[in-house]
Amino acid sequence: MEKLSYASESSTTAWATYLQQIDRVAPYLGDLSRWIDTLRHPKRALIVDIPLQMDDGSIRHFEGFRVQHNLSRGPGKGGIRFHPDVDLDEVMALSAWMTIKCAAVNLPYGGAKGGIRVDPFKLSEGELERLTRRYTSEIGFIIGPQKDIPAPDVGTNAKVMAWMMDTYSMNQGTTITGVVTGKPIHLGGSLGREKATGRGVFVTGSEVAKRLGVQIEGAKVAVQGFGNVGSEAARLFVGVGARVVAIQDHSATLFNVNGIDLNALTEWQTKNKQIAGFPGASEIESEAFWSVDMDILIPAALEGQITRQRAEILSAKLVLEGANGPTYPDADDMLRSRNITVVPDVICNAGGVTVSYFEWVQDMASYFWSESEINERMDKIMTDAMVHVWNKAKEKECSLRTAAYIVACERILTARKERGIYPG
């Protein structure tokens, strides 16, 4: 059967990057490679029109998406992204990476993702709520606690999840908290969820650093993106003696060789809604971020940030992918040739979906855990998954990314094989 390709594999789209990653893992799968095309085809892709009455009385239309990539191991799991660049290609790739991520960490989920092409910062709160509720109604027939469980992503938060949960519940006629994760605590959310992804970056990064002999105390860290993921990972590394020398977001690139005061920066960001203008660091050109002297790089913004050209000049010993898909395949090759270890997104940033799983379990049981219990359980799952991937990389003599894909694809395709094809 001819391989499905929604975009040229020579292009640099997110879906093309994912397809190249699948191609690279296929030779390691043995008899399971017979089922590999399962991973090249999204199971279901939904595009919806979202009419919205604006505060001024005008009517605008927004395009929304929900993609379920693979459901062989359980219900779909994946975030909802509100961003001006959201399109089907991106959402398909993000849903596919969720499939790999959930399997790599051995959670009983498949992969899904959704989004609306919109700049949420240009909408009033009322407009944002109406947009969210209409979108939820449009995708409501394919989501549910045993079907597909959305969560926050770029441009969304606990408040948006509360609106989604309420809308779905109103349409079902009963409160169903487990339809989404990342909710407010008093609506069935889990303690530790907001910091979980950044914590996972720290846990997996520390495990790999230990195995590589990279000393974290005194290490120079550069972080791209200073949202929940980048800021929490940065704080945890600083807490064990590292110093953050560079931080980049959409507004500026900050540099301070002696280390940036994260508490002061957070206060500045909260007040000014950006890091630009922060007096505790110098502002440098955005491209200069990649040539800063660093030991650890944490890309925690959007996909497609580490190009081959940037990989050629990176001084980091360790790259911890807090974002989804930040590294292009040819950049991956360059980093590997330069002995720069990449902890791939599908393991590195899986802390968020791990605690989302805990939230879902707690909602199903109506029994909730303490934050210390959450962190202890997450740390164990993340560490065990990272060690398993590390050992697979040593066994197969491949990169950690390829090893993570081997582990994940073996689990997904075994499930696909054992379930068979209906109606046969």
Side-chain angles (χ1 to χ4, degrees):
M1 180 176 181
E2 184 178 349
K3 180 172 60 179
L4 179 67
S5 179
Y6 291 87
S8 167
E9 292 192 41
S10 63
S11 72
T12 54
T13 67
W15 180 250
T17 295
Y18 164 75
L19 290 177
Q20 290 181 55
Q21 291 166 345
I22 292 300
D23 288 343
R24 290 178 178 217
V25 79
Y28 296 93
L29 297 178
D31 292 343
L32 288 173
S33 61
R34 173 173 181 251
W35 297 87
I36 193 71
D37 271 349
T38 297
L39 298 171
R40 296 188 177 113
H41 295 250
K43 177 179 177 64
R44 184 176 292 117
L46 178 65
I47 304 174
V48 297
D49 173 52
I50 308 166
L52 177 65
Q53 181 168 308
M54 309 301 287
D55 289 345
D56 64 4
S58 64
I59 305 295
R60 290 183 61 189
H61 287 254
F62 297 87
E63 194 168 41
F65 308 89
R66 187 67 182 176
V67 175
Q68 296 168 347
H69 175 258
N70 186 280
L71 306 180
S72 295
R73 301 183 75 250
K77 191 77 190 77
I80 301 291
R81 177 171 292 193
F82 289 0
H83 192 275
D85 296 332
V86 166
D87 60 20
L88 182 59
D89 179 280
E90 178 187 57
V91 176
M92 287 196 310
L94 292 168
S95 71
W97 283 321
M98 285 301 300
T99 298
I100 300 298
K101 185 183 301 182
C102 291
V105 189
N106 208 18
L107 302 179
Y109 288 139
K113 206 77 175 187
I116 302 175
R117 188 182 304 126
V118 62
D119 185 344
F121 300 105
K122 292 184 178 179
L123 300 184
S124 69
E125 183 165 316
E127 290 167 339
L128 191 62
E129 180 176 354
R130 295 194 294 276
L131 180 80
T132 300
R133 290 184 181 277
R134 181 58 184 255
Y135 169 71
T136 305
S137 293
E138 294 289 348
I139 68 169
F141 68 98
I142 65 168
I143 64 173
Q146 301 297 336
K147 291 181 179 180
D148 180 357
I149 307 128
D153 197 80
V154 175
T156 58
N157 54 24
K159 181 182 289 185
V160 172
M161 293 304 106
W163 292 332
M164 291 193 72
M165 186 274 284
D166 182 70
T167 304
Y168 183 84
S169 295
M170 291 302 99
N171 288 336
Q172 295 295 316
T174 185
T175 298
I176 304 176
T177 58
V179 66
V180 298
T181 59
K183 303 179 295 296
I185 299 299
H186 53 276
L187 291 179
S190 177
L191 296 169
R193 174 61 185 87
E194 188 173 341
K195 297 179 178 180
T197 306
R199 184 180 180 87
V201 171
F202 172 73
V203 169
T204 55
S206 297
E207 183 65 31
V208 172
K210 179 176 68 177
R211 292 169 179 271
L212 289 173
V214 174
Q215 185 70 30
I216 293 180
E217 186 174 357
K220 299 181 290 295
V221 179
V223 182
Q224 187 193 42
F226 200 64
N228 283 346
V229 180
S231 62
E232 180 62 17
R235 286 189 183 90
L236 290 170
F237 275 107
V238 168
V240 293
R243 68 181 190 272
V244 176
V245 297
I247 297 175
Q248 181 179 80
D249 76 352
H250 68 281
S251 68
T253 301
L254 305 180
F255 176 74
N256 186 332
V257 70
N258 297 314
I260 297 171
D261 184 332
L262 300 183
N263 290 331
L265 178 59
T266 299
E267 289 181 12
W268 177 271
Q269 183 187 48
T270 301
K271 179 180 178 181
N272 297 280
K273 310 303 181 186
Q274 60 182 15
I275 67 172
F278 175 63
S282 303
E283 292 194 17
I284 60 176
E285 292 296 322
S286 60
E287 202 59 33
F289 173 82
W290 305 99
S291 57
V292 165
D293 182 26
M294 65 181 85
D295 300 302
I296 299 173
L297 170 65
I298 305 175
L302 297 174
E303 63 270 6
Q305 297 300 300
I306 304 180
T307 62
R308 183 180 179 89
Q309 292 73 24
R310 289 170 175 172
E312 288 175 345
I313 60 174
L314 272 183
S315 61
K317 302 180 183 71
L318 192 55
V319 176
L320 310 179
E321 292 187 336
N324 292 312
T327 309
Y328 288 119
D330 58 348
D332 237 0
D333 294 338
M334 174 57 64
L335 294 172
R336 184 165 167 77
S337 73
R338 297 185 60 217
N339 293 317
I340 298 173
T341 300
V342 178
V343 182
D345 48 3
V346 294
I347 285 287
C348 192
N349 68 35
V353 71
T354 300
V355 177
S356 282
Y357 167 59
F358 296 162
E359 180 177 334
W360 179 73
V361 169
Q362 291 170 90
D363 284 342
M364 295 299 100
S366 294
Y367 180 80
F368 293 85
W369 308 333
S370 68
E371 187 164 359
S372 61
E373 288 176 307
I374 296 286
N375 289 339
E376 182 180 352
R377 291 169 191 259
M378 191 202 83
D379 290 357
K380 184 178 189 314
I381 286 177
M382 296 290 290
T383 301
D384 288 351
M386 190 67 254
V387 170
H388 188 48
V389 167
W390 178 274
N391 291 338
K392 182 68 73 172
K394 292 300 180 186
E395 175 193 341
K396 300 294 185 180
E397 298 182 345
C398 63
S399 69
L400 291 176
R401 189 185 312 280
T402 298
Y405 272 69
I406 294 171
V407 169
C409 291
E410 285 176 345
R411 289 170 175 163
I412 298 160
L413 299 182
T414 297
R416 176 69 276 170
K417 175 185 174 182
E418 292 179 348
R419 289 182 65 157
I421 298 178
Y422 175 82

